[in-house]
Amino acid sequence: MSAIPGALAVHHVAYTVPDLDQAVTFFTEVIGAELAYRTGPVHDPDGDWMTRQLGVHHRAAAYVAMLRLGPVTNLELFEYSAPDQRRELPGNSDWGGHHLAIAVTDVDAAAAYLRAQPGVQVLGRPETVADGGPIDGDRWVYFRAPWGLQLELIDLPPGLPYEQRTESRLYRPTGSWSSTGSWS
């Protein structure tokens, strides 16, 4: 099996957001992330660095924030301005569709908390997978950030059926994170 030489782990996931201040506030105050840093503008108004290095319009500019989201995930947020910028979020069924799943101990309590947050939309009600498939017992619900980014709450109990058929195991968090940035 081939792999990237020297690969260690996933360092971060990144999303482009319409308003960096709003997104940082949402992730720190509602979700509980810790802001590590902000930077910008990142741009090269007289050159081609943005196209060559990032694959965006040569006149694009970005502001960036890096957050710590729980014990193992770094989340990078970009706010771009670019002459050719599309401003529609893809749906989950669209190419490039995406969501970020947050493991919780109680999906129902977490969904109730999110329903009380301004601008957050919880989609439907929490459900438990009961189809006898590989993740039978998974409890989950999707929600949207105020600007439309899709996220998921998930509780995957130990001993899922897929574990009986393979040696492969998904990461299972054992501690929680706090809004102060201390990890247990």
Side-chain angles (χ1 to χ4, degrees):
M1 175 176 183
S2 295
I4 296 172
L8 300 172
V10 172
H11 181 269
H12 67 271
V13 295
Y15 294 105
T16 298
V17 298
D19 182 323
L20 191 60
D21 292 332
Q22 177 192 38
V24 168
T25 298
F26 173 76
F27 277 104
T28 57
E29 295 182 9
V30 175
I31 302 298
E34 176 184 12
L35 177 63
Y37 64 83
R38 291 180 73 149
T39 190
V42 176
H43 64 121
D44 182 14
D46 300 319
D48 70 345
W49 187 90
M50 295 297 283
T51 301
R52 191 170 22 86
Q53 293 299 115
L54 301 175
V56 298
H57 194 280
H58 69 277
R59 288 194 319 266
Y63 288 86
V64 184
M66 184 67 81
L67 295 90
R68 176 80 181 258
L69 190 60
V72 297
T73 304
N74 298 316
L75 176 65
E76 187 174 33
L77 301 173
F78 290 89
E79 179 183 337
Y80 273 99
S81 62
D84 60 349
Q85 185 175 50
R86 284 189 16 236
R87 296 183 177 200
E88 307 84 33
L89 289 172
N92 270 339
S93 61
D94 294 331
W95 289 8
H98 54 269
H99 70 275
L100 180 67
I102 299 171
V104 297
T105 57
D106 185 335
V107 172
D108 296 278
Y113 163 79
L114 289 170
R115 280 190 182 93
Q117 302 304 311
V120 175
Q121 178 189 14
V122 177
L123 303 176
R125 301 223 174 269
E127 291 193 13
T128 301
V129 175
D131 62 2
I135 58 168
D136 192 83
D138 166 25
R139 188 145 178 83
W140 64 277
V141 69
Y142 274 35
F143 66 100
R144 288 191 181 123
W147 64 93
L149 179 69
Q150 295 189 74
L151 299 103
E152 178 184 7
L153 299 172
I154 188 168
D155 178 14
L156 287 167
L160 290 169
Y162 88 89
E163 294 175 347
Q164 298 165 13
R165 298 188 271 274
T166 181
E167 295 295 316
S168 183
R169 296 293 179 265
L170 300 176
Y171 170 74
R172 179 172 285 116
T174 57
S176 62
W177 82 63
S178 70
S179 61
T180 62
S182 60
W183 319 110
S184 58

